[in-house]
Each structure stands twice: as structure tokens, then as C-alpha cells.
Amino acid sequence: MSRASTIYPADRVTLREVGLRDGLQIAKSLPSTEAKIAWLEAECTAGVGHYEVGSFLPASRFPQFADIDAVIAASERLDVHSAGLTLNERGAEAAVQSAIREMVCVVSATEEHSQANMRRSRDAAVDLVRNVVAMRDHHAPDKLVNAGIAMALGCSISGNVDPEEVVRLAADCLEAGADIVGVADTVGYAGPKAVGALCARMEKLCGGQPFIIHLHDTRGMGVANAAAALESGARVIDASLGGLGGCPFAPGATGNVVFEDIVYLSESMGFATGIDLDRLKDARRIAEEAMPGEMFHGALHRAGPPKNANWQAKSLV
């Protein structure tokens, strides 16, 4: 079994909650450290086991992640899987010295977004993945290295993206030593047909090993795209509590797909998640009270799951 398969088993759906990282990137009102930890605790109680908890970025520019060590410590106390964004060498150095369990690198599918997001070329971004892997191997061999391909389904800067380029970049990241790769519809550009086709290509590339799909709901296609991804072999999906989030360096990148809606979708399609939707409401309440200026979304939150239908998948146990 591969390193990634022990964390993301191929025989079930794993939902990664990215609200504490991607969800806070463009937020105007920020939760306190205490609120973040309460949010994490509430989601853990609801059965959520995988989180992006922050970014290893300069606190002077990204104050929302200045407390990442405290949030990592809380995730360790709760014994959940934590991931953090390592966008450059300095961030990777901080990550390997921390207790974070997964280091997330980004490679853009287009040169234009790569320069806007990282100020380096796509090839240089792949080289960074290789350097992060070497750093990990030397200092913290138990950590997972994740390489996500941003703008994989369309770029708001340069337009359509060739799937061949996305698969090539993903293959380059695997060759560089990444344990798991992902593809991101960073600006909610695509529809189900494109998402399904790319996920089928990724499943073939990864040869039965897990890959991640990261979706945004910018144009209301997030849940439909997640359904297409599940039908085409994806088993690890990123989503954010209440649909918070976006990328500060990607014009139009508003709103991750709503975590609660993806739990419901997965269960209704027969994929047990082990997540209690009623208890997720407690986490949402904490986040809403801590971030009064933010817009929270979610069809399930408005309507609730049906009370008179057998929508829930069989237990994981």
C-alpha cells in the first residue's frame, strides 16, 4: 500500500475540509485562534477526519495564518489528518519543522497563473515539488507531499486549458516524488463533462492510487461537478464549510463547493462518509459567529436532508 493510500483509502470517499485554509484566503472577517480550534473540534466530533488547516506564508501578508502552529497542535491533540500549503521554499522549511502531516504544493496549469500566484514558471514549480520531497525525505519522512494542479479545468487569466498539459504536469509531479496529486477547478470554470473526462484521465494516470479533485462553485456547478468526479473515479474531494473561500491571485475564484452539500451528495450516491450532518451544524454556527462579515452558502443548510427518504449510505464499519 502506498503512503497516500494509507491516508486516503481507495475503497471509500474521503472529504477534505479546506475551510481553515482556502476558506480564509480572501475572507474580510477572520476567526480568532480560539474560534478556529472550536471549529476544528466541532467538525471532528461530526466525524470529519481530513483538514487543510492553514498556509505557511508570511504572517505580515497573510495574518489569517499567523496561528498555524496552534491550529496544528489542536489537530494533533484531536488526532486528525492535517495539511498545510507550502507555496515556496521558506514555507516548506517551516512545514517540515512543524507537526503538519501533509505538505501541499501548487503547480499551475498555465504560465500566466503560475507567475501571478507564485512568481515562477510551471517547470520551476515542479522543481519546487522535487525540492520539497527531498526536504521531506531528509527531515520528516512520515509526512505526505501533495501536488495540486491549479487552473486545471480552465483559467480566468488565459482561458481554456488543454487536459494533456494537466495530465503531463501531474505526471511530472509524481515523477518528482509527490505522494498524491490533485486537480483544481480554481475558478469554477468547468462543467460535469469536462470534470468527468479529466478525472477519468487522472484515474488512469494514477493507476488505482488516490488523486484529489478540488472544486469551486463560482457558477453554480460545484455539486454537479462533484457528482461527475465521483462517477469517474475520484475518491478524494476538497470542500469548504459553508462554501467559504477563493484564491487571491485568481480573478473570479470565489467560493469553494459547500462541504455539507458534498457530504449529502456522497451519501446519496452510496458513498458512506462517516460524517454526521446534524453535528456539522455546530461547526457552521461557530464559524458564522466568528466571521460575521462573510457570506455562507449551502442548499442543504437551507432545506435540510429529507426526513422520509433513505438517502444515507451504508455505514463504513
Side-chain angles (χ1 to χ4, degrees):
M1 182 176 288
S2 71
R3 188 196 306 256
S5 294
T6 62
I7 305 300
Y8 301 109
D11 63 348
R12 67 189 62 178
V13 166
T14 301
L15 304 184
R16 298 173 77 250
E17 217 289 69
V18 301
L20 288 164
R21 196 276 295 176
D22 199 352
L24 302 183
Q25 286 193 145
I26 60 173
K28 295 180 175 61
S29 59
L30 300 175
S32 66
T33 303
E34 293 73 20
K36 288 183 183 181
I37 293 172
W39 172 352
L40 189 67
E41 290 172 341
E43 286 198 308
C44 180
T45 299
V48 183
H50 298 74
Y51 303 83
E52 286 194 4
V53 298
S55 298
F56 293 94
L57 292 167
S60 58
R61 292 187 60 203
F62 298 92
Q64 61 267 58
F65 304 125
D67 58 358
I68 187 171
D69 288 333
V71 183
I72 294 170
S75 70
E76 285 299 293
R77 175 173 55 80
L78 295 166
D79 193 27
V80 295
H81 184 74
S82 61
L85 181 66
T86 55
L87 202 59
N88 52 37
E89 289 82 359
R90 184 175 297 179
E93 290 169 1
V96 296
Q97 294 169 16
S98 77
I100 202 81
R101 298 187 184 185
E102 179 178 325
M103 302 162 66
V104 181
C105 302
V106 174
V107 176
S108 296
T110 68
E111 287 292 342
E112 292 84 352
H113 180 252
S114 189
Q115 292 295 337
N117 192 45
M118 300 178 68
R119 297 182 182 176
R120 66 180 78 200
S121 69
R122 294 180 299 170
D123 288 344
V126 174
D127 287 340
L128 175 61
V129 174
R130 185 173 289 105
N131 294 339
V132 170
V133 169
M135 202 180 301
R136 183 276 309 273
D137 290 347
H138 184 70
H139 296 286
D142 290 337
K143 296 187 191 301
L144 207 67
V145 174
N146 165 354
I149 312 301
M151 298 291 189
L153 285 138
C155 178
S156 57
I157 302 172
S158 57
N160 292 329
V161 171
D162 183 355
E164 293 286 346
E165 277 295 284
V166 176
V167 174
R168 179 188 68 80
L169 288 166
D172 287 348
C173 289
L174 290 171
E175 187 277 330
D179 300 294
I180 188 168
V181 291
V183 288
D185 189 11
T186 310
V187 290
Y189 197 101
K193 183 177 179 180
V195 171
L198 182 58
C199 285
R201 298 282 299 276
M202 290 296 295
E203 184 182 35
K204 183 177 180 180
L205 170 70
C206 295
Q209 297 301 309
F211 66 92
I212 299 168
I213 180 75
H214 179 101
L215 298 167
H216 283 244
D217 198 36
T218 312
R219 294 167 179 84
M221 301 298 286
V223 171
N225 287 344
L230 287 170
E231 289 176 341
S232 301
R235 292 295 178 265
V236 188
I237 302 180
D238 285 356
S240 174
L241 188 71
L244 292 170
C247 176
F249 304 108
T254 56
N256 288 274
V257 67
V258 177
F259 190 82
E260 303 97 307
D261 290 354
I262 299 304
V263 174
Y264 177 67
L265 171 72
S266 300
E267 295 280 351
S268 69
M269 291 180 67
F271 298 105
T273 65
I275 297 171
D276 187 323
L277 282 170
D278 283 332
R279 289 187 172 182
L280 268 185
K281 294 176 184 176
D282 295 332
R284 182 172 176 130
R285 190 177 306 112
I286 290 165
E288 287 179 332
E289 290 175 357
M291 305 172 70
E294 298 303 315
M295 181 72 72
F296 286 73
H297 304 276
L300 188 82
H301 180 73
R302 291 193 303 272
K307 304 299 183 185
N308 59 349
N310 183 20
W311 59 270
Q312 199 159 15
K314 292 182 179 180
S315 171
L316 290 167
V317 179

